[in-house]
């Protein structure tokens, strides 16, 4: 696989894109908190606006990607995100940066991220054989984990050295690098629609394709369970992170660099999780790995509300918690992705990714708003504890779902379900 030049270009581009996205997740909220001095409700609204495109555009993006070259979708998304983020420091230098500008940039970045994420996951299936999916996912998720090491730390460091608005230029540079790398992919993808006329039939065919994706996810027990478990987790995690990003600088009084370092600790853990994901499911069983890893990942976050002060011990404890969370959440991510790809026909990959993203992450804007509301009403520490407890809903559901009964072999795709 690593001898494949096109896979290497995909991997490099996806790594750069994820690095930019991880830095952006720190810098944009810190622009709002530090440069614009927004409150808890406004920060929740900003995160909701950035996440809303997942609900609004995922299904359309899935059908769109299944009908087009994934490479083309990714390069357009990268270029658009680079230009959008470059507008933040430009507006700051011109003295016109405000909440409306930040909301517009967050929304546009969110829309383009939806298309990129669907396209890169679908592109893997078009580049590698089925028996290499777990290894390919491990490589791509490993690069995402490596980005989690550098992205938040780099974003936090740039905020400390310069300012939060200027730090967003870092993300723009990495999206530009991803654009260059992915644009160099040479392999021509063969799509089921090649050679078909795409004239007046496009709208009904698009709607039919979206329905097919929904039908497959709802009708397949494994895909349905992955979607519901993802929805429970993403809703709760969005609420947790909204409170978390306020808790660290305002309750624990951590600097921008310390916030970046604390978040970056997820990265080394996620790298280890990616390595373990290439072996553990086949040895212990996919179901057992999913359930146990989810319990450990979500449970460790309950330790954060107990922390006080901005001492070195507090920062070390935060990094330890985030490291453990990174290990086991990554095990869940890679394992669930392998299950989803294994049971999905190649021609349906984009739509199934989009459908599960829509179901799984469609509630994140509501979670972000809820986190901001709770922080304003109950206080940061109480809200963080309450939202962290809600994370237990996802592993509880998985333990009662068909996912828990998966053995040491990946399930077989059910192409008949979409005929």
């Amino acid at each position: 696989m690593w001898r494949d030049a096109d896979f290497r270009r995909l991997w490099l581009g996806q790594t750069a894109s994820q690095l930019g996205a991880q830095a952006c997740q720190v810098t944009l909220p810190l622009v709002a908190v530090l440069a614009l001095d927004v409150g808890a409700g406004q920060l929740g609204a900003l995160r909701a606006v950035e996440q809303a495109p997942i609900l609004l555009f995922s299904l359309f993006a899935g059908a769109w990607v299944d009908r087009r070259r994934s490479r083309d979708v990714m390069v357009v998304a990268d270029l658009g995100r680079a230009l959008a983020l470059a507008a933040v420091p430009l507006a700051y230098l011109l003295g016109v940066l405000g909440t409306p500008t930040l909301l517009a940039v967050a929304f546009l970045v969110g829309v383009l991220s939806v298309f990129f994420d669907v396209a890169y996951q679908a592109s893997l299936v078009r580049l590698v054989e089925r028996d290499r999916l777990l290894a390919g996912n491990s490589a791509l998720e490993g690069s995402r984990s490596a980005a989690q090491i550098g992205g938040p730390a780099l974003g936090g460091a740039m905020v400390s050295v310069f300012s939060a608005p200027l730090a967003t230029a870092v993300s723009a540079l990495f999206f530009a690098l991803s654009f260059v790398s992915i644009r160099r992919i040479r392999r021509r993808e063969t799509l089921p629609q090649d050679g078909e006329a795409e004239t007046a039939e496009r709208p009904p065919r698009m709607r039919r394709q979206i329905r097919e994706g929904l039908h497959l996810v709802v009708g397949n027990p494994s895909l349905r369970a992955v979607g519901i478990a993802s929805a429970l987790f993403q809703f709760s995690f969005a609420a947790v992170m909204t409170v978390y990003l306020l808790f660290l600088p305002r309750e624990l009084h951590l600097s921008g660099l310390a916030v970046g370092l604390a978040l970056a600790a997820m990265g080394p853990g996620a790298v280890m999780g990616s390595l373990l994901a290439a072996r553990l499911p086949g040895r212990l069983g996919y179901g057992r790995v999913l359930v146990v890893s989810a319990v450990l990942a979500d449970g460790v976050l309950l330790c954060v509300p107990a922390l006080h002060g901005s001492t070195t011990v507090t920062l070390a404890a935060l990094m330890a918690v985030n490291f453990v969370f990174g290990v086991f959440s990554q095990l869940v991510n890679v394992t669930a992705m392998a299950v989803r790809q294994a049971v999905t026909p190649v021609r349906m990959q984009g739509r199934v990714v989009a459908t599960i993203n829509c179901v799984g992450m469609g509630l994140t804007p509501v979670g972000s708003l809820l986190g901001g509301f709770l922080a304003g009403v109950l206080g940061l520490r109480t809200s963080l504890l309450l939202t962290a407890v809600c994370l237990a809903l996802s592993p509880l559901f998985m333990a009662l779902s068909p996912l828990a009964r998966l053995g040491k072999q990946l399930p077989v795709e059910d192409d008949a379900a979409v005929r």
Side-chain angles (χ1 to χ4, degrees):
M1 183 175 61
W2 289 105
R3 291 193 295 269
D4 187 330
D6 282 337
F7 177 79
R8 293 198 305 270
R9 291 163 184 150
L10 170 65
W11 175 81
L12 177 60
Q14 184 258 2
T15 301
S17 181
Q18 292 296 329
L19 186 58
Q22 292 296 328
C24 183
Q25 287 182 11
V26 173
T27 55
L28 278 182
L30 289 180
V31 168
V33 173
L34 301 178
L36 302 182
D37 196 28
V38 303
Q42 289 175 299
L43 181 62
L46 173 65
R47 286 176 51 78
V49 165
E50 187 173 11
Q51 296 157 348
I54 300 170
L55 178 62
L56 299 176
F57 297 104
S58 286
L59 295 178
F60 175 78
W64 183 273
V65 169
D66 275 343
R67 300 173 61 184
R68 284 165 176 80
R69 311 281 183 261
S70 58
R71 190 206 75 156
D72 296 344
V73 177
M74 287 186 285
V75 297
V76 171
D78 278 330
L79 181 60
R81 287 184 292 181
L83 294 175
L85 288 172
V88 174
L90 179 61
Y92 174 71
L93 292 173
L94 295 176
V96 296
L97 179 63
T99 302
T101 301
L102 207 57
L103 290 172
V105 170
F107 183 77
L108 181 56
V109 169
V111 171
L112 295 173
S113 294
V114 167
F115 281 86
F116 183 91
D117 289 345
V118 172
Y120 97 74
Q121 293 182 55
S123 68
L124 178 65
V125 182
R126 300 173 188 177
L127 285 177
V128 305
E129 300 297 329
R130 183 179 184 275
D131 60 354
R132 295 181 177 179
L133 282 178
L134 191 60
N137 279 319
S138 181
L140 292 178
E141 289 299 294
S143 69
R144 186 170 70 89
S145 303
Q148 287 177 326
I149 299 173
L154 183 60
M158 292 296 290
V159 168
S160 296
V161 174
F162 299 106
S163 65
L166 294 179
T168 59
V170 176
S171 295
L173 291 176
F174 282 104
F175 288 133
L177 175 60
S178 178
F179 167 83
V180 172
S181 180
I182 292 176
R183 193 170 182 270
R184 295 179 62 239
I185 293 177
R186 296 289 178 252
R187 186 174 304 169
R188 180 175 174 83
E189 302 171 27
T190 301
L191 304 179
Q193 292 79 16
D194 283 352
E196 296 181 8
E198 297 188 7
T199 55
E201 296 184 22
R202 179 176 298 179
R205 189 164 68 242
M206 182 77 74
R207 288 193 295 270
R208 185 169 63 248
Q209 288 180 319
I210 291 174
R211 285 197 301 269
E212 286 178 347
L214 288 168
H215 175 75
L216 180 58
V217 172
V218 172
N220 185 286
S222 295
L223 293 177
R224 184 171 63 246
V226 168
I228 295 173
S230 177
L232 292 172
F233 172 79
Q234 296 295 345
F235 170 76
S236 302
F237 191 65
V240 168
M241 286 305 295
T242 298
V243 183
Y244 196 57
L245 289 170
L246 288 166
F247 182 81
L248 297 186
R250 293 186 177 175
E251 189 74 20
L252 299 184
H253 307 291
L254 296 179
S255 66
L257 178 58
V259 171
L261 289 173
L263 295 175
M266 294 182 190
V271 170
M272 180 177 291
S274 295
L275 296 175
L276 293 175
R279 298 174 177 85
L280 286 186
R283 294 182 180 179
L284 303 179
Y286 284 81
R288 182 177 298 176
V289 168
L290 281 170
V291 175
V292 174
S293 298
V295 169
L296 294 173
D298 297 346
V300 74
L301 292 181
L302 291 171
C303 300
V304 177
L307 299 176
H308 292 80
S310 57
T311 64
T312 303
V313 174
T314 298
L315 180 57
L318 276 172
M319 295 177 70
V321 166
N322 288 336
F323 177 83
V324 174
F325 177 80
V327 171
F328 293 106
S329 64
Q330 190 73 334
L331 265 172
V332 175
N333 289 340
V334 177
T335 305
M337 189 178 298
V339 171
R340 187 257 301 161
Q341 291 176 334
V343 301
T344 303
V346 173
R347 71 182 185 89
M348 297 284 292
Q349 289 288 336
R351 280 165 283 175
V352 169
V353 171
T355 301
I356 290 180
N357 282 352
C358 181
V359 173
M361 301 187 69
L363 291 177
T364 53
V366 182
S368 294
L369 291 173
L370 177 63
F373 172 76
L374 291 176
V377 174
L378 302 178
L380 295 176
R381 196 173 298 275
T382 302
S383 300
L384 187 57
L385 177 61
L386 181 61
T387 52
V389 169
C390 289
L391 282 171
L393 293 173
S394 180
L396 177 62
F397 171 80
M398 282 198 287
L400 301 175
S401 77
L403 294 176
R405 298 189 292 274
L406 292 176
K408 298 180 181 180
Q409 300 293 328
L410 282 170
V412 180
E413 74 177 42
D414 184 13
D415 199 23
V418 296
R419 291 176 183 168

